[in-house]
Amino acid sequence: MNDTPFLILLGGHLTLTDRLLRQVAGLPAIAADGGIRHAGVLELLPELWVGDFDSSPAGLQSTWEHIPREAHPPAKDMTDGALAVEAALERGATRLVIAGALGGERSDHAMQNLLLGMAVRERGISVLMTSGLEEAWPLTPGSQSFDLPANSLFSVLALSDLTGLTLEGVHWPLSRRDVPLGDTLTLSNKILAETEAPLSVGLEAGKALLIARPYDTDAAGTV
């Protein structure tokens, strides 16, 4: 199966970690407006810079003036992040790592980034959203597995009523459990410490977000 990954740089919080560096190593990158500042931290050269550039001060624009740009007017019907994602999909992306998608000054933008990730996942594209310290994966019907360190804290947030949710390899497992929208049952679970098997998630119907903190563990060791 063809695997064509792309890295999208958004303007939210980003903390440099070894795990993040492994996740983005060698990926072609597209920056969305102010997300270009993360390119220097990650020591990479984006192949495209898109947006209206209202979040990129003159100094930043001068530093990255050699990057090809796709400029859009401020009055537009898509966010800069959505434009960057579409540019990656036009280039044949089958898997996205969206860095800087979490946190930031505006909760509406952070929530919209999560919903954007869900919408892209429903188009059949694998999506990881990350701040370096926190990671989010959209969940759609089917089975998925996730390589998270032992004792990692994670939650499953239902974006609709969930049917048949199964969680394996965790401290509080579930087997084909129905979870209504707004239910707090799936908050604050942990990966088992005594197993090498990855977290396994099964979902029969519905949509959700798995949000994990791979550095938030009780056990010592390298993540």
Side-chain angles (χ1 to χ4, degrees), residues 21-56:
L21 289 174
R22 292 195 299 269
Q23 291 167 336
V24 306
L27 301 189
I30 297 176
D33 202 342
I36 192 71
R37 72 181 189 275
H38 299 315
V41 175
L42 295 171
E43 298 184 349
L44 55 83
L45 186 67
E47 65 179 54
L48 182 66
W49 189 9
V50 305
D52 55 26
F53 305 106
D54 64 349
S55 300
S56 303

PDB file of all heavy atoms in Angstrom, residues 21-56:
ATOM      1  N   LEU A  21      10.526  14.248  17.130  1.00  0.00           N
ATOM      2  CA  LEU A  21      11.547  14.209  16.081  1.00  0.00           C
ATOM      3  C   LEU A  21      11.481  12.907  15.284  1.00  0.00           C
ATOM      4  O   LEU A  21      11.651  12.909  14.054  1.00  0.00           O
ATOM      5  CB  LEU A  21      12.938  14.392  16.681  1.00  0.00           C
ATOM      6  CG  LEU A  21      13.265  15.801  17.201  1.00  0.00           C
ATOM      7  CD1 LEU A  21      14.610  15.813  17.903  1.00  0.00           C
ATOM      8  CD2 LEU A  21      13.237  16.810  16.066  1.00  0.00           C
ATOM      9  N   ARG A  22      11.214  11.798  15.953  1.00  0.00           N
ATOM     10  CA  ARG A  22      11.066  10.528  15.240  1.00  0.00           C
ATOM     11  C   ARG A  22       9.838  10.544  14.339  1.00  0.00           C
ATOM     12  O   ARG A  22       9.857  10.006  13.224  1.00  0.00           O
ATOM     13  CB  ARG A  22      10.965   9.365  16.238  1.00  0.00           C
ATOM     14  CG  ARG A  22      12.252   9.084  17.010  1.00  0.00           C
ATOM     15  CD  ARG A  22      12.201   7.720  17.693  1.00  0.00           C
ATOM     16  NE  ARG A  22      11.127   7.626  18.666  1.00  0.00           N
ATOM     17  CZ  ARG A  22      11.252   7.922  19.952  1.00  0.00           C
ATOM     18  NH1 ARG A  22      12.409   8.395  20.409  1.00  0.00           N
ATOM     19  NH2 ARG A  22      10.233   7.774  20.779  1.00  0.00           N
ATOM     20  N   GLN A  23       8.767  11.151  14.812  1.00  0.00           N
ATOM     21  CA  GLN A  23       7.514  11.163  14.053  1.00  0.00           C
ATOM     22  C   GLN A  23       7.600  12.009  12.786  1.00  0.00           C
ATOM     23  O   GLN A  23       6.906  11.720  11.809  1.00  0.00           O
ATOM     24  CB  GLN A  23       6.377  11.656  14.940  1.00  0.00           C
ATOM     25  CG  GLN A  23       5.989  10.682  16.049  1.00  0.00           C
ATOM     26  CD  GLN A  23       5.090  11.304  17.099  1.00  0.00           C
ATOM     27  OE1 GLN A  23       5.083  12.527  17.283  1.00  0.00           O
ATOM     28  NE2 GLN A  23       4.315  10.489  17.793  1.00  0.00           N
ATOM     29  N   VAL A  24       8.438  13.041  12.797  1.00  0.00           N
ATOM     30  CA  VAL A  24       8.495  13.947  11.648  1.00  0.00           C
ATOM     31  C   VAL A  24       9.733  13.740  10.789  1.00  0.00           C
ATOM     32  O   VAL A  24       9.869  14.384   9.741  1.00  0.00           O
ATOM     33  CB  VAL A  24       8.428  15.421  12.107  1.00  0.00           C
ATOM     34  CG1 VAL A  24       7.206  15.651  12.979  1.00  0.00           C
ATOM     35  CG2 VAL A  24       9.697  15.857  12.828  1.00  0.00           C
ATOM     36  N   ALA A  25      10.616  12.858  11.184  1.00  0.00           N
ATOM     37  CA  ALA A  25      11.890  12.679  10.471  1.00  0.00           C
ATOM     38  C   ALA A  25      11.662  12.357   8.998  1.00  0.00           C
ATOM     39  O   ALA A  25      10.950  11.409   8.655  1.00  0.00           O
ATOM     40  CB  ALA A  25      12.709  11.577  11.133  1.00  0.00           C
ATOM     41  N   GLY A  26      12.254  13.148   8.131  1.00  0.00           N
ATOM     42  CA  GLY A  26      12.221  12.883   6.703  1.00  0.00           C
ATOM     43  C   GLY A  26      10.934  13.229   5.987  1.00  0.00           C
ATOM     44  O   GLY A  26      10.821  12.984   4.776  1.00  0.00           O
ATOM     45  N   LEU A  27       9.956  13.801   6.688  1.00  0.00           N
ATOM     46  CA  LEU A  27       8.675  14.087   6.051  1.00  0.00           C
ATOM     47  C   LEU A  27       8.729  15.398   5.274  1.00  0.00           C
ATOM     48  O   LEU A  27       9.245  16.403   5.780  1.00  0.00           O
ATOM     49  CB  LEU A  27       7.551  14.177   7.085  1.00  0.00           C
ATOM     50  CG  LEU A  27       7.286  12.956   7.964  1.00  0.00           C
ATOM     51  CD1 LEU A  27       5.998  13.172   8.760  1.00  0.00           C
ATOM     52  CD2 LEU A  27       7.187  11.694   7.139  1.00  0.00           C
ATOM     53  N   PRO A  28       8.187  15.443   4.060  1.00  0.00           N
ATOM     54  CA  PRO A  28       8.026  16.728   3.386  1.00  0.00           C
ATOM     55  C   PRO A  28       7.038  17.574   4.174  1.00  0.00           C
ATOM     56  O   PRO A  28       6.073  17.050   4.734  1.00  0.00           O
ATOM     57  CB  PRO A  28       7.480  16.343   2.005  1.00  0.00           C
ATOM     58  CG  PRO A  28       6.843  15.015   2.204  1.00  0.00           C
ATOM     59  CD  PRO A  28       7.637  14.322   3.281  1.00  0.00           C
ATOM     60  N   ALA A  29       7.283  18.884   4.241  1.00  0.00           N
ATOM     61  CA  ALA A  29       6.503  19.744   5.115  1.00  0.00           C
ATOM     62  C   ALA A  29       5.846  20.890   4.358  1.00  0.00           C
ATOM     63  O   ALA A  29       6.397  21.418   3.389  1.00  0.00           O
ATOM     64  CB  ALA A  29       7.383  20.312   6.229  1.00  0.00           C
ATOM     65  N   ILE A  30       4.661  21.263   4.831  1.00  0.00           N
ATOM     66  CA  ILE A  30       3.954  22.448   4.360  1.00  0.00           C
ATOM     67  C   ILE A  30       3.606  23.268   5.592  1.00  0.00           C
ATOM     68  O   ILE A  30       3.030  22.746   6.550  1.00  0.00           O
ATOM     69  CB  ILE A  30       2.685  22.079   3.578  1.00  0.00           C
ATOM     70  CG1 ILE A  30       3.050  21.296   2.307  1.00  0.00           C
ATOM     71  CG2 ILE A  30       1.876  23.329   3.217  1.00  0.00           C
ATOM     72  CD1 ILE A  30       1.855  20.798   1.523  1.00  0.00           C
ATOM     73  N   ALA A  31       3.956  24.540   5.578  1.00  0.00           N
ATOM     74  CA  ALA A  31       3.702  25.425   6.713  1.00  0.00           C
ATOM     75  C   ALA A  31       2.469  26.272   6.446  1.00  0.00           C
ATOM     76  O   ALA A  31       2.259  26.749   5.334  1.00  0.00           O
ATOM     77  CB  ALA A  31       4.906  26.319   6.972  1.00  0.00           C
ATOM     78  N   ALA A  32       1.658  26.457   7.491  1.00  0.00           N
ATOM     79  CA  ALA A  32       0.490  27.326   7.426  1.00  0.00           C
ATOM     80  C   ALA A  32       0.791  28.607   8.193  1.00  0.00           C
ATOM     81  O   ALA A  32       0.922  28.587   9.418  1.00  0.00           O
ATOM     82  CB  ALA A  32      -0.735  26.633   8.010  1.00  0.00           C
ATOM     83  N   ASP A  33       0.958  29.700   7.474  1.00  0.00           N
ATOM     84  CA  ASP A  33       1.180  31.031   8.060  1.00  0.00           C
ATOM     85  C   ASP A  33       2.179  30.969   9.218  1.00  0.00           C
ATOM     86  O   ASP A  33       3.331  30.593   9.031  1.00  0.00           O
ATOM     87  CB  ASP A  33      -0.155  31.635   8.493  1.00  0.00           C
ATOM     88  CG  ASP A  33      -0.091  33.167   8.602  1.00  0.00           C
ATOM     89  OD1 ASP A  33       1.023  33.720   8.676  1.00  0.00           O
ATOM     90  OD2 ASP A  33      -1.134  33.812   8.620  1.00  0.00           O
ATOM     91  N   GLY A  34       1.773  31.325  10.452  1.00  0.00           N
ATOM     92  CA  GLY A  34       2.697  31.400  11.580  1.00  0.00           C
ATOM     93  C   GLY A  34       3.319  30.081  11.979  1.00  0.00           C
ATOM     94  O   GLY A  34       4.274  30.057  12.759  1.00  0.00           O
ATOM     95  N   GLY A  35       2.807  28.970  11.453  1.00  0.00           N
ATOM     96  CA  GLY A  35       3.407  27.675  11.737  1.00  0.00           C
ATOM     97  C   GLY A  35       4.820  27.547  11.204  1.00  0.00           C
ATOM     98  O   GLY A  35       5.562  26.632  11.607  1.00  0.00           O
ATOM     99  N   ILE A  36       5.225  28.470  10.323  1.00  0.00           N
ATOM    100  CA  ILE A  36       6.583  28.421   9.772  1.00  0.00           C
ATOM    101  C   ILE A  36       7.630  28.534  10.865  1.00  0.00           C
ATOM    102  O   ILE A  36       8.761  28.062  10.714  1.00  0.00           O
ATOM    103  CB  ILE A  36       6.775  29.555   8.730  1.00  0.00           C
ATOM    104  CG1 ILE A  36       8.071  29.373   7.920  1.00  0.00           C
ATOM    105  CG2 ILE A  36       6.770  30.916   9.407  1.00  0.00           C
ATOM    106  CD1 ILE A  36       8.026  28.228   6.957  1.00  0.00           C
ATOM    107  N   ARG A  37       7.282  29.150  12.012  1.00  0.00           N
ATOM    108  CA  ARG A  37       8.282  29.313  13.072  1.00  0.00           C
ATOM    109  C   ARG A  37       8.753  27.976  13.623  1.00  0.00           C
ATOM    110  O   ARG A  37       9.859  27.868  14.167  1.00  0.00           O
ATOM    111  CB  ARG A  37       7.735  30.190  14.192  1.00  0.00           C
ATOM    112  CG  ARG A  37       6.675  29.562  15.071  1.00  0.00           C
ATOM    113  CD  ARG A  37       6.199  30.557  16.129  1.00  0.00           C
ATOM    114  NE  ARG A  37       5.336  29.957  17.131  1.00  0.00           N
ATOM    115  CZ  ARG A  37       4.030  29.805  16.990  1.00  0.00           C
ATOM    116  NH1 ARG A  37       3.434  30.200  15.868  1.00  0.00           N
ATOM    117  NH2 ARG A  37       3.316  29.263  17.958  1.00  0.00           N
ATOM    118  N   HIS A  38       7.929  26.933  13.499  1.00  0.00           N
ATOM    119  CA  HIS A  38       8.319  25.617  13.993  1.00  0.00           C
ATOM    120  C   HIS A  38       9.355  24.952  13.084  1.00  0.00           C
ATOM    121  O   HIS A  38      10.026  24.004  13.499  1.00  0.00           O
ATOM    122  CB  HIS A  38       7.102  24.711  14.120  1.00  0.00           C
ATOM    123  CG  HIS A  38       6.067  25.221  15.071  1.00  0.00           C
ATOM    124  ND1 HIS A  38       6.375  25.718  16.312  1.00  0.00           N
ATOM    125  CD2 HIS A  38       4.705  25.298  14.965  1.00  0.00           C
ATOM    126  CE1 HIS A  38       5.273  26.089  16.929  1.00  0.00           C
ATOM    127  NE2 HIS A  38       4.258  25.850  16.141  1.00  0.00           N
ATOM    128  N   ALA A  39       9.473  25.439  11.842  1.00  0.00           N
ATOM    129  CA  ALA A  39      10.440  24.840  10.918  1.00  0.00           C
ATOM    130  C   ALA A  39      11.856  24.992  11.454  1.00  0.00           C
ATOM    131  O   ALA A  39      12.681  24.079  11.333  1.00  0.00           O
ATOM    132  CB  ALA A  39      10.310  25.479   9.537  1.00  0.00           C
ATOM    133  N   GLY A  40      12.160  26.145  12.039  1.00  0.00           N
ATOM    134  CA  GLY A  40      13.494  26.345  12.591  1.00  0.00           C
ATOM    135  C   GLY A  40      13.764  25.443  13.768  1.00  0.00           C
ATOM    136  O   GLY A  40      14.856  24.881  13.901  1.00  0.00           O
ATOM    137  N   VAL A  41      12.772  25.275  14.634  1.00  0.00           N
ATOM    138  CA  VAL A  41      12.922  24.406  15.807  1.00  0.00           C
ATOM    139  C   VAL A  41      13.164  22.966  15.374  1.00  0.00           C
ATOM    140  O   VAL A  41      13.992  22.251  15.960  1.00  0.00           O
ATOM    141  CB  VAL A  41      11.674  24.503  16.698  1.00  0.00           C
ATOM    142  CG1 VAL A  41      11.752  23.511  17.851  1.00  0.00           C
ATOM    143  CG2 VAL A  41      11.507  25.913  17.241  1.00  0.00           C
ATOM    144  N   LEU A  42      12.447  22.535  14.337  1.00  0.00           N
ATOM    145  CA  LEU A  42      12.567  21.161  13.859  1.00  0.00           C
ATOM    146  C   LEU A  42      13.711  20.978  12.865  1.00  0.00           C
ATOM    147  O   LEU A  42      13.971  19.853  12.419  1.00  0.00           O
ATOM    148  CB  LEU A  42      11.248  20.732  13.202  1.00  0.00           C
ATOM    149  CG  LEU A  42      10.035  20.660  14.140  1.00  0.00           C
ATOM    150  CD1 LEU A  42       8.751  20.431  13.335  1.00  0.00           C
ATOM    151  CD2 LEU A  42      10.204  19.547  15.166  1.00  0.00           C
ATOM    152  N   GLU A  43      14.352  22.087  12.497  1.00  0.00           N
ATOM    153  CA  GLU A  43      15.481  22.071  11.561  1.00  0.00           C
ATOM    154  C   GLU A  43      15.096  21.410  10.240  1.00  0.00           C
ATOM    155  O   GLU A  43      15.752  20.484   9.757  1.00  0.00           O
ATOM    156  CB  GLU A  43      16.691  21.381  12.188  1.00  0.00           C
ATOM    157  CG  GLU A  43      17.217  22.093  13.426  1.00  0.00           C
ATOM    158  CD  GLU A  43      18.479  21.463  13.986  1.00  0.00           C
ATOM    159  OE1 GLU A  43      18.851  20.350  13.545  1.00  0.00           O
ATOM    160  OE2 GLU A  43      19.107  22.075  14.869  1.00  0.00           O
ATOM    161  N   LEU A  44      14.015  21.904   9.645  1.00  0.00           N
ATOM    162  CA  LEU A  44      13.579  21.385   8.359  1.00  0.00           C
ATOM    163  C   LEU A  44      13.204  22.546   7.442  1.00  0.00           C
ATOM    164  O   LEU A  44      12.988  23.679   7.887  1.00  0.00           O
ATOM    165  CB  LEU A  44      12.411  20.413   8.514  1.00  0.00           C
ATOM    166  CG  LEU A  44      11.156  20.872   9.262  1.00  0.00           C
ATOM    167  CD1 LEU A  44      10.221  21.670   8.351  1.00  0.00           C
ATOM    168  CD2 LEU A  44      10.417  19.671   9.832  1.00  0.00           C
ATOM    169  N   LEU A  45      13.125  22.248   6.152  1.00  0.00           N
ATOM    170  CA  LEU A  45      12.822  23.245   5.135  1.00  0.00           C
ATOM    171  C   LEU A  45      11.501  22.885   4.456  1.00  0.00           C
ATOM    172  O   LEU A  45      11.447  21.933   3.679  1.00  0.00           O
ATOM    173  CB  LEU A  45      13.941  23.297   4.094  1.00  0.00           C
ATOM    174  CG  LEU A  45      13.834  24.391   3.031  1.00  0.00           C
ATOM    175  CD1 LEU A  45      13.993  25.767   3.658  1.00  0.00           C
ATOM    176  CD2 LEU A  45      14.893  24.165   1.950  1.00  0.00           C
ATOM    177  N   PRO A  46      10.415  23.602   4.762  1.00  0.00           N
ATOM    178  CA  PRO A  46       9.137  23.302   4.111  1.00  0.00           C
ATOM    179  C   PRO A  46       9.227  23.498   2.598  1.00  0.00           C
ATOM    180  O   PRO A  46       9.970  24.355   2.114  1.00  0.00           O
ATOM    181  CB  PRO A  46       8.174  24.320   4.731  1.00  0.00           C
ATOM    182  CG  PRO A  46       8.818  24.720   6.021  1.00  0.00           C
ATOM    183  CD  PRO A  46      10.293  24.679   5.755  1.00  0.00           C
ATOM    184  N   GLU A  47       8.459  22.730   1.873  1.00  0.00           N
ATOM    185  CA  GLU A  47       8.432  22.888   0.425  1.00  0.00           C
ATOM    186  C   GLU A  47       7.383  23.908  -0.017  1.00  0.00           C
ATOM    187  O   GLU A  47       7.360  24.319  -1.182  1.00  0.00           O
ATOM    188  CB  GLU A  47       8.178  21.559  -0.268  1.00  0.00           C
ATOM    189  CG  GLU A  47       6.827  20.921  -0.012  1.00  0.00           C
ATOM    190  CD  GLU A  47       6.682  19.612  -0.768  1.00  0.00           C
ATOM    191  OE1 GLU A  47       7.546  18.722  -0.626  1.00  0.00           O
ATOM    192  OE2 GLU A  47       5.690  19.476  -1.511  1.00  0.00           O
ATOM    193  N   LEU A  48       6.509  24.323   0.919  1.00  0.00           N
ATOM    194  CA  LEU A  48       5.472  25.291   0.589  1.00  0.00           C
ATOM    195  C   LEU A  48       5.036  26.012   1.852  1.00  0.00           C
ATOM    196  O   LEU A  48       5.015  25.425   2.948  1.00  0.00           O
ATOM    197  CB  LEU A  48       4.271  24.589  -0.045  1.00  0.00           C
ATOM    198  CG  LEU A  48       3.107  25.469  -0.496  1.00  0.00           C
ATOM    199  CD1 LEU A  48       3.538  26.380  -1.650  1.00  0.00           C
ATOM    200  CD2 LEU A  48       1.919  24.604  -0.915  1.00  0.00           C
ATOM    201  N   TRP A  49       4.684  27.294   1.706  1.00  0.00           N
ATOM    202  CA  TRP A  49       4.201  28.124   2.806  1.00  0.00           C
ATOM    203  C   TRP A  49       2.901  28.768   2.350  1.00  0.00           C
ATOM    204  O   TRP A  49       2.907  29.529   1.365  1.00  0.00           O
ATOM    205  CB  TRP A  49       5.260  29.162   3.144  1.00  0.00           C
ATOM    206  CG  TRP A  49       5.025  29.973   4.387  1.00  0.00           C
ATOM    207  CD1 TRP A  49       4.079  29.781   5.339  1.00  0.00           C
ATOM    208  CD2 TRP A  49       5.790  31.108   4.798  1.00  0.00           C
ATOM    209  NE1 TRP A  49       4.192  30.708   6.333  1.00  0.00           N
ATOM    210  CE2 TRP A  49       5.243  31.542   6.023  1.00  0.00           C
ATOM    211  CE3 TRP A  49       6.879  31.787   4.263  1.00  0.00           C
ATOM    212  CZ2 TRP A  49       5.744  32.645   6.714  1.00  0.00           C
ATOM    213  CZ3 TRP A  49       7.387  32.882   4.951  1.00  0.00           C
ATOM    214  CH2 TRP A  49       6.823  33.297   6.164  1.00  0.00           C
ATOM    215  N   VAL A  50       1.795  28.450   3.016  1.00  0.00           N
ATOM    216  CA  VAL A  50       0.502  28.938   2.556  1.00  0.00           C
ATOM    217  C   VAL A  50      -0.167  29.797   3.632  1.00  0.00           C
ATOM    218  O   VAL A  50       0.143  29.689   4.820  1.00  0.00           O
ATOM    219  CB  VAL A  50      -0.442  27.771   2.185  1.00  0.00           C
ATOM    220  CG1 VAL A  50       0.199  26.856   1.160  1.00  0.00           C
ATOM    221  CG2 VAL A  50      -0.862  26.980   3.411  1.00  0.00           C
ATOM    222  N   GLY A  51      -1.086  30.659   3.198  1.00  0.00           N
ATOM    223  CA  GLY A  51      -1.860  31.455   4.139  1.00  0.00           C
ATOM    224  C   GLY A  51      -2.004  32.901   3.710  1.00  0.00           C
ATOM    225  O   GLY A  51      -1.597  33.285   2.612  1.00  0.00           O
ATOM    226  N   ASP A  52      -2.586  33.703   4.609  1.00  0.00           N
ATOM    227  CA  ASP A  52      -2.690  35.133   4.351  1.00  0.00           C
ATOM    228  C   ASP A  52      -1.555  35.910   5.005  1.00  0.00           C
ATOM    229  O   ASP A  52      -1.435  37.114   4.837  1.00  0.00           O
ATOM    230  CB  ASP A  52      -4.045  35.673   4.820  1.00  0.00           C
ATOM    231  CG  ASP A  52      -4.323  35.342   6.289  1.00  0.00           C
ATOM    232  OD1 ASP A  52      -3.367  35.161   7.069  1.00  0.00           O
ATOM    233  OD2 ASP A  52      -5.507  35.268   6.661  1.00  0.00           O
ATOM    234  N   PHE A  53      -0.725  35.210   5.784  1.00  0.00           N
ATOM    235  CA  PHE A  53       0.497  35.738   6.387  1.00  0.00           C
ATOM    236  C   PHE A  53       0.242  36.879   7.384  1.00  0.00           C
ATOM    237  O   PHE A  53       1.137  37.672   7.659  1.00  0.00           O
ATOM    238  CB  PHE A  53       1.496  36.158   5.302  1.00  0.00           C
ATOM    239  CG  PHE A  53       1.800  35.032   4.345  1.00  0.00           C
ATOM    240  CD1 PHE A  53       1.272  35.033   3.062  1.00  0.00           C
ATOM    241  CD2 PHE A  53       2.562  33.954   4.744  1.00  0.00           C
ATOM    242  CE1 PHE A  53       1.518  33.987   2.191  1.00  0.00           C
ATOM    243  CE2 PHE A  53       2.819  32.898   3.886  1.00  0.00           C
ATOM    244  CZ  PHE A  53       2.289  32.913   2.599  1.00  0.00           C
ATOM    245  N   ASP A  54      -0.966  36.892   7.963  1.00  0.00           N
ATOM    246  CA  ASP A  54      -1.242  37.895   8.987  1.00  0.00           C
ATOM    247  C   ASP A  54      -0.664  37.506  10.346  1.00  0.00           C
ATOM    248  O   ASP A  54      -0.621  38.320  11.263  1.00  0.00           O
ATOM    249  CB  ASP A  54      -2.742  38.161   9.102  1.00  0.00           C
ATOM    250  CG  ASP A  54      -3.535  36.948   9.574  1.00  0.00           C
ATOM    251  OD1 ASP A  54      -2.965  35.832   9.613  1.00  0.00           O
ATOM    252  OD2 ASP A  54      -4.722  37.105   9.897  1.00  0.00           O
ATOM    253  N   SER A  55      -0.214  36.245  10.479  1.00  0.00           N
ATOM    254  CA  SER A  55       0.403  35.780  11.730  1.00  0.00           C
ATOM    255  C   SER A  55       1.908  35.638  11.603  1.00  0.00           C
ATOM    256  O   SER A  55       2.561  35.067  12.471  1.00  0.00           O
ATOM    257  CB  SER A  55      -0.200  34.427  12.149  1.00  0.00           C
ATOM    258  OG  SER A  55      -1.590  34.536  12.345  1.00  0.00           O
ATOM    259  N   SER A  56       2.454  36.165  10.517  1.00  0.00           N
ATOM    260  CA  SER A  56       3.893  36.055  10.266  1.00  0.00           C
ATOM    261  C   SER A  56       4.499  37.448  10.194  1.00  0.00           C
ATOM    262  O   SER A  56       4.341  38.144   9.185  1.00  0.00           O
ATOM    263  CB  SER A  56       4.150  35.308   8.948  1.00  0.00           C
ATOM    264  OG  SER A  56       3.548  34.036   8.958  1.00  0.00           O
TER     265      SER A  56
END
